[in-house]
Amino acid sequence: MDIKYYIGLSLALFSIGIIGVLTRRNAILIFMCVELMLNAVNLLLVAFSKMHAMSGVAKASANYVADAQIFVFFIMVVAAAEVAVGLAIIVMLYRNTHSVDINFLNRLKN
Amino acid sequence: MNILSLLFYILSAMAVGSAIMMLLSKNPVKSILWLIVVFFAISGHYILLNAQFLAVVNIIVYAGAIMVLFLFVVMLMNLNSTVEPVKNFRMQLIGIISGGALFLIILSSLMKGEGKAQLVQMRVGDAGLIKNLGNVLFTNYVLPFEIASILFLSAMIGAVVIGKKA
């Protein structure tokens, strides 16, 4: 399978995430779209690592492919920590404003 | 068309279709369920690329833990019945146009790109197995692994402090 198909797939998922962040106003949905974008990037990183396994770049050191997948693993670790803090912030927001609409978040303005 | 590309197309259609359904559904709970379908499709892609460790971690962490946390928060807030009040169609149009423009621009540059096709290794290659990844993780990447534990500890404390009644 050509790498272009994987780039196209990840790009489609990433663009759907961007459209979701820009159009939806529910804070939880925006957060979910960010997660979708993270996953699109993860998929592309794994595809690139397997591309290098094929192309001979990784012939010198067999660890190159594993390095990329460890990188994806750490992205997942950071995403999990981010979700814990982000959802706590959203819960606090809901407790203060009784809504998760981000249009009510302009109170810092004045 | 061999079985690998067939599986690739099926999983890709599943991922993109579920992602679009996630955007379109009004109910947040349904959005979360569609996003879980997307994560399972991405895990299927990982299995296809023989990155089995990442496939399992993706299911456990994303579909198992993170999405359940989202579901839990949504049900805690009782958002099921709320509709999004005033629609700002101009902003939505701008968002869709800018996201679609990004997609089309990068896709067209991808299609016009020259050079020989770079193939992706599928179904074979043992770099993504748990044995090899664990070997690399606990030899070369011990320090980031330990730092990740500190990150989790601070995230846990942060979540408790933020979520506590002030």
Side-chain angles (χ1 to χ4, degrees):
Chain A
M1 189 57 79
D2 199 349
I3 188 68
K4 280 182 182 177
Y5 292 99
Y6 276 101
I7 300 177
L9 172 64
S10 297
L11 185 63
L13 290 178
F14 194 84
S15 302
I16 291 170
I18 285 181
I19 291 174
V21 168
L22 290 179
T23 55
R24 300 304 293 262
R25 293 196 325 228
N26 190 336
I28 293 175
L29 272 164
I30 289 175
F31 208 41
M32 280 163 54
C33 288
V34 172
E35 293 299 314
L36 181 64
M37 287 155 74
L38 272 171
N39 261 283
V41 173
N42 278 348
L43 177 62
L44 194 55
L45 274 171
V46 175
F48 275 138
S49 83
K50 296 302 280 187
M51 184 191 84
H52 280 301
M54 194 78 161
S55 72
V57 175
K59 290 280 164 49
S61 163
N63 275 351
Y64 283 177
V65 183
D67 283 354
Q69 302 197 0
I70 293 286
F71 189 26
V72 172
F73 176 67
F74 279 116
I75 291 176
M76 285 180 183
V77 166
V78 172
E82 172 225 334
V83 164
V85 177
L87 281 178
I89 290 175
I90 290 177
V91 168
M92 189 199 66
L93 175 76
Y94 179 73
R95 199 180 288 148
N96 288 333
T97 64
H98 295 286
S99 157
V100 287
D101 196 331
I102 55 163
N103 283 9
F104 292 124
L105 279 187
N106 54 6
R107 298 187 177 181
L108 281 177
K109 254 199 296 195
N110 34 30
Chain B
M1 178 179 287
N2 56 355
I3 185 84
L4 281 180
S5 37
L6 190 67
L7 278 174
F8 175 83
Y9 287 126
I10 290 174
L11 286 172
S12 304
M14 191 172 145
V16 174
S18 309
I20 291 173
M21 284 305 293
M22 179 199 89
L23 270 190
L24 293 182
S25 52
K26 296 280 174 228
N27 194 336
V29 176
K30 280 182 188 164
S31 294
I32 290 171
L33 295 179
W34 281 115
L35 192 57
I36 291 176
V37 177
V38 177
F39 287 157
F40 271 98
I42 288 177
S43 286
H45 275 295
Y46 288 159
I47 291 175
L48 219 56
L49 290 168
N50 213 17
Q52 299 167 3
F53 174 69
L54 285 179
V56 173
V57 166
N58 198 44
I59 287 180
I60 291 174
V61 172
Y62 273 104
I66 292 181
M67 283 299 117
V68 168
L69 202 61
F70 270 104
L71 214 54
F72 192 69
V73 168
V74 168
M75 289 179 172
L76 198 70
M77 288 176 181
N78 196 14
L79 288 176
N80 310 342
S81 54
T82 55
V83 288
E84 301 199 354
V86 199
K87 292 265 187 191
N88 193 344
F89 281 111
R90 209 174 109 252
M91 284 306 292
Q92 286 200 341
L93 195 66
I94 290 172
I96 289 173
I97 285 175
S98 47
L102 177 83
F103 177 66
L104 287 179
I105 286 170
I106 303 183
L107 196 69
S108 65
S109 68
L110 187 70
M111 287 306 158
K112 281 187 78 75
E114 292 170 2
K116 64 180 171 63
Q118 295 270 11
L119 290 181
V120 175
Q121 188 184 42
M122 293 168 98
R123 202 174 60 88
V124 286
D126 55 353
L129 303 186
I130 296 179
K131 185 185 168 197
N132 295 309
L133 279 188
N135 213 352
V136 175
L137 182 64
F138 291 115
T139 52
N140 296 347
Y141 294 95
V142 169
L143 188 62
F145 183 76
E146 296 295 334
I147 293 174
S149 70
I150 298 174
L151 173 73
F152 268 123
L153 186 65
S154 58
M156 201 166 69
I157 294 171
V160 170
V161 168
I162 291 172
K164 208 172 58 175
K165 271 205 167 62

